Amino acid sequence: FGSLITSLGLGLLTLLGVGLAFDLTGADLQAFAHRLKESWQTLRIAERETSADATNISQGVAISPLTERPAQPPAPPTSDAAAPPTKAEKPVAARSPRRRRASSHALPPLSLLQASRGGGVNDAETRRKSRIIEETLSQFGIPAKVTEVRIGPTVTQFGLTPGYLNDGSNGTQERKVRINQITALTDDLALALAARTLRIEAPVPGQAIVGIEVPNDTTERVTLRRVLDSQEFKHCSAPLCFAVGLNVAGSAIAADLATMPHLLIAGTTGSGKSVFVKSLAASLIMRNTPQELRLIALDPKIVELSHLNGLPHLLGTTETETERMLRVLRWTAVEMDNRYKEFEQLGARNLDHYNRKAGQQGQETKPRIVVLIDELADLMMAAPDETERTLTRLAQMARATGIHLVVATQRPSTDVVTGLIKANFPARVSFATASNVDSRVILDTPGADSLLGRGDMLFLPPDVSAPRRIQGCFISEEELSAIIEFWQLKEGTPSHAAPWDVAANKQGPQHLRLEGASTDATYLEKALQMARSQKKITTSGIQRQLHISYPRAARLMGELEAMGAVGPQRAAGRKRRVLLGDESE
């Protein structure tokens, strides 16, 4: 072949050997090429600045004797030649690229996150499953052909095109196969493919095919860096864009929280809810400074969102007690009302409009606020009325003020995810659920009960009628700690107290209550009247007569006992003796 072609061939063979030895993927090579491109651009900018400085020096030698001649005698040529140019003589265009690069380094680099590794399904396995699907349907008298295959990180979607059924009388093609004939064979297809679960999307939105989603034999972990480094996420320029995951075709999915404007998440224990909430928070702090975004973390489970403590974006610390979480929700509602009053004074429609006007007038801008609630069921059990009322009010009105809610629960029942809450959370994410009923509660459609867990989800944006299946991003504790340490080194460790505690110390806790939030005092007075008019009283009797929840009735019974109105409980389920007599006696 000649020395040139032989050298090129040996060079390519050497590169291939190095790639196989160090397990390099296409993403690694692309990142290496991107770093080489950045280094080359930096070198070119430095060369331009050096040439510009040399030009300024040469121009200073030629011009300085002419400009200085009318004012003073000419200086020796050596002193003129050695005189450095002033700062005013340096062109601004030579320094502008350096400023732009410095601003880009204000955000955490993607090198803090783990790189993704390749994987997937081989072609032989795909062809085998396609043949099994076609043969199984043919055995039941349904002609269909697999015309499209989409390989995702967790499942592979086989696009099935239904055929035509022949008429027995004349043998002509009369009608096409109905979709419900294919969906009725879900269990038979799962048996033939030896799949633990199988989901049929009939039809695939925007396409004339029926999607049969079969789990892969080996699943691929979707890292947060893989989605953040994708073109889909880079094209999303909104400040509240976050990484969702990869769809069944392996394409990255990004969403804007500001357009939702709130997100409701549900799923069983271990299905991936908490990891999704943490990856969402990491996506937001990867592209927003503490001056642009503030987070509020409410975690009744204590151990999930506590990793965010120490983050400069976080207001206060992660709240884990029920009473303090209720205080945070009240403060958030008060902050929303205060922002609306300031918007009215400045004549602004929303937060972006207000920040533009405030910046023009030299006033302080306001950051966006994202409230993360990791478990809604605990709040609904402790104070259902106040929690539902506050969440609904925030969901209805807080969008224009830049306040957004991300609420997760592992119990998607009607007493936790009420109809009023669902109506104000159009964007929803459902991980694996325990039953078909739970899937209908969260998504108004079945399908979540057939998910695989570990990040496998159905994502329902507000502008889409049918949910999309996505494998969510995974972020480890080490990655999250690295991002927090980056912001701590840049902004310092936050030492300020929580704003809801500062407001309570200044004005008392009454100003943090919403209208009608002081109903416990009214219920206590009614329970006291019941105790005075009866000889014995029970917690269930208070619940039944006052039309309140059992936890609130139990709390009222405890307050009555502390006041000395009722006696101690002697046995479970027995009535308590009333120590107060009738007021007329």
Side-chain angles (χ1 to χ4, degrees):
F1 296 104
S3 59
L4 179 61
I5 299 179
T6 302
S7 301
L8 292 176
L10 290 176
L12 293 176
L13 187 61
T14 303
L15 292 177
L16 179 61
V18 171
L20 293 175
F22 293 96
D23 195 15
L24 297 178
T25 62
D28 297 331
L29 296 178
Q30 184 178 3
F32 178 72
H34 184 66
R35 286 195 295 269
L36 286 179
K37 183 178 179 181
E38 288 184 349
S39 302
W40 174 254
Q41 291 177 354
T42 305
L43 182 61
R44 293 294 300 273
I45 291 172
E47 290 178 354
R48 292 198 198 101
E49 293 177 351
T50 304
S51 61
D53 293 341
T55 304
N56 292 334
I57 293 176
S58 62
Q59 291 177 355
V61 172
I63 297 174
S64 58
L66 297 178
T67 56
E68 294 177 359
R69 185 175 296 126
Q72 60 183 5
T78 55
S79 62
D80 291 340
T86 61
K87 293 183 179 180
E89 294 174 352
K90 291 187 178 181
V92 180
R95 300 198 307 269
S96 58
R98 186 185 301 173
R99 290 176 182 173
R100 288 196 297 267
R101 291 182 61 82
S103 63
S104 64
H105 289 303
L107 299 176
L110 292 180
S111 59
L112 298 176
L113 304 176
Q114 298 177 0
S116 60
R117 294 185 176 272
V121 182
N122 53 34
D123 295 338
E125 185 69 15
T126 302
R127 289 193 295 268
R128 184 184 70 85
K129 291 182 178 180
S130 299
R131 185 177 64 255
I132 291 176
I133 292 174
E134 294 176 355
E135 292 176 354
T136 303
L137 294 177
S138 177
Q139 292 173 0
F140 288 93
I142 299 177
K145 186 173 182 60
V146 176
T147 58
E148 184 177 351
V149 177
R150 295 181 175 183
I151 300 177
T154 305
V155 299
T156 300
Q157 187 184 66
F158 296 88
L160 197 67
T161 301
Y164 290 88
L165 293 175
N166 297 327
D167 189 4
S169 58
N170 50 15
T172 59
Q173 293 181 346
E174 182 182 9
R175 62 181 179 85
K176 203 169 186 178
V177 175
R178 295 193 303 270
I179 292 180
N180 57 4
Q181 294 179 279
I182 300 177
T183 57
L185 299 176
T186 302
D187 296 336
D188 299 281
L189 289 172
L191 177 63
L193 294 169
R196 50 177 175 172
T197 181
L198 190 141
R199 179 176 177 266
I200 297 180
E201 187 177 15
V204 176
Q207 299 184 14
I209 58 175
V210 176
I212 300 179
E213 298 172 355
V214 183
N216 297 336
D217 296 336
T218 58
T219 60
E220 179 185 358
R221 175 177 290 181
V222 179
T223 60
L224 181 61
R225 180 175 178 176
R226 179 174 179 179
V227 182
L228 294 182
D229 201 22
S230 63
Q231 294 298 326
E232 289 80 3
F233 185 80
K234 294 178 181 178
H235 290 164
C236 185
S237 59
L240 292 185
C241 277
F242 65 94
V244 181
L246 300 182
N247 60 7
V248 293
S251 301
I253 302 297
D256 184 13
L257 184 61
T259 60
M260 292 185 177
H262 312 286
L263 184 61
L264 183 62
I265 307 168
T268 59
T269 302
S271 59
K273 301 184 307 299
S274 300
V275 176
F276 179 79
V277 173
K278 288 189 287 188
S279 66
L280 184 147
S283 301
L284 296 179
I285 63 178
M286 285 288 289
R287 65 186 312 170
N288 291 278
T289 62
Q291 292 76 26
E292 299 170 344
L293 173 69
R294 285 307 181 95
L295 299 178
I296 296 176
L298 307 181
D299 183 17
K301 294 190 290 187
I302 301 175
V303 296
E304 297 297 343
L305 297 182
S306 59
H307 302 289
L308 297 177
N309 288 333
L311 180 67
H313 298 72
L314 190 64
L315 285 175
T317 58
T318 301
E319 300 293 348
T320 58
E321 299 179 2
T322 304
E323 293 298 330
R324 292 187 59 83
M325 288 188 289
L326 293 176
R327 181 189 295 181
V328 172
L329 293 179
R330 298 177 199 135
W331 175 88
T332 307
V334 173
E335 175 68 15
M336 177 190 68
D337 295 334
N338 294 336
R339 289 192 174 192
Y340 271 119
K341 294 177 182 178
E342 296 181 8
F343 289 0
E344 183 181 6
Q345 294 176 0
L346 206 58
R349 300 187 308 272
N350 50 36
L351 182 64
D352 295 331
H353 193 198
Y354 173 83
N355 287 337
R356 285 196 300 267
K357 286 193 172 185
Q360 294 172 1
Q361 299 181 9
Q363 300 180 8
E364 185 179 359
T365 60
K366 292 186 177 297
R368 292 174 174 83
I369 298 178
V370 177
V371 183
L372 307 175
I373 304 177
D374 190 67
E375 184 52 61
L376 177 63
D378 190 80
L379 285 174
M380 292 295 291
M381 290 176 61
D385 296 336
E386 183 177 356
T387 301
E388 182 183 20
R389 179 175 57 253
T390 310
L391 286 180
T392 304
R393 188 167 183 268
L394 287 171
Q396 290 174 346
M397 302 178 58
R399 175 180 183 176
T401 61
I403 300 176
H404 306 277
L405 304 175
V406 178
V407 181
T409 180
Q410 63 181 4
R411 183 184 165 192
S413 56
T414 55
D415 58 340
V416 175
V417 184
T418 62
L420 196 58
I421 293 178
K422 284 178 56 179
N424 293 280
F425 283 79
R428 302 165 196 169
V429 171
S430 178
F431 291 87
T433 57
S435 64
N436 193 359
V437 177
D438 294 342
S439 176
R440 291 181 181 274
V441 169
I442 187 65
L443 293 176
D444 298 327
T445 182
D449 53 325
S450 61
L451 297 178
L452 303 176
R454 300 180 63 86
D456 191 15
M457 69 170 109
L458 291 178
F459 177 52
L460 181 63
D463 55 346
V464 178
S465 59
R468 295 182 292 179
R469 190 169 188 175
I470 297 175
Q471 177 64 30
C473 302
F474 175 81
I475 181 171
S476 62
E477 297 180 4
E478 293 77 11
E479 294 176 284
L480 189 58
S481 300
I483 300 175
I484 295 176
E485 290 177 0
F486 173 87
W487 282 116
Q488 287 178 346
L489 293 175
K490 191 172 185 61
E491 300 288 338
T493 304
S495 58
H496 53 81
W500 41 88
D501 292 335
V502 175
N505 293 333
K506 288 183 178 181
Q507 304 178 12
Q510 287 78 13
H511 83 289
L512 292 178
R513 291 189 175 273
L514 302 174
E515 182 181 357
S518 59
T519 53
D520 283 344
T522 304
Y523 286 137
L524 181 61
E525 182 65 27
K526 293 181 179 179
L528 191 59
Q529 293 178 2
M530 289 176 53
R532 286 170 176 166
S533 61
Q534 300 178 13
K535 295 182 179 180
K536 292 185 179 181
I537 192 173
T538 60
T539 303
S540 59
I542 296 177
Q543 175 191 6
R544 184 171 57 257
Q545 296 189 29
L546 298 184
H547 304 285
I548 59 177
S549 62
Y550 188 85
R552 174 170 286 187
R555 186 165 61 251
L556 292 177
M557 181 65 79
E559 294 180 3
L560 292 177
E561 182 180 355
M563 295 169 57
V566 297
Q569 186 176 10
R570 298 180 179 179
R574 298 294 299 273
K575 294 184 178 181
R576 297 196 184 193
R577 187 169 61 90
V578 178
L579 302 179
L580 294 177
D582 196 342
E583 291 181 345
S584 61
E585 294 181 357

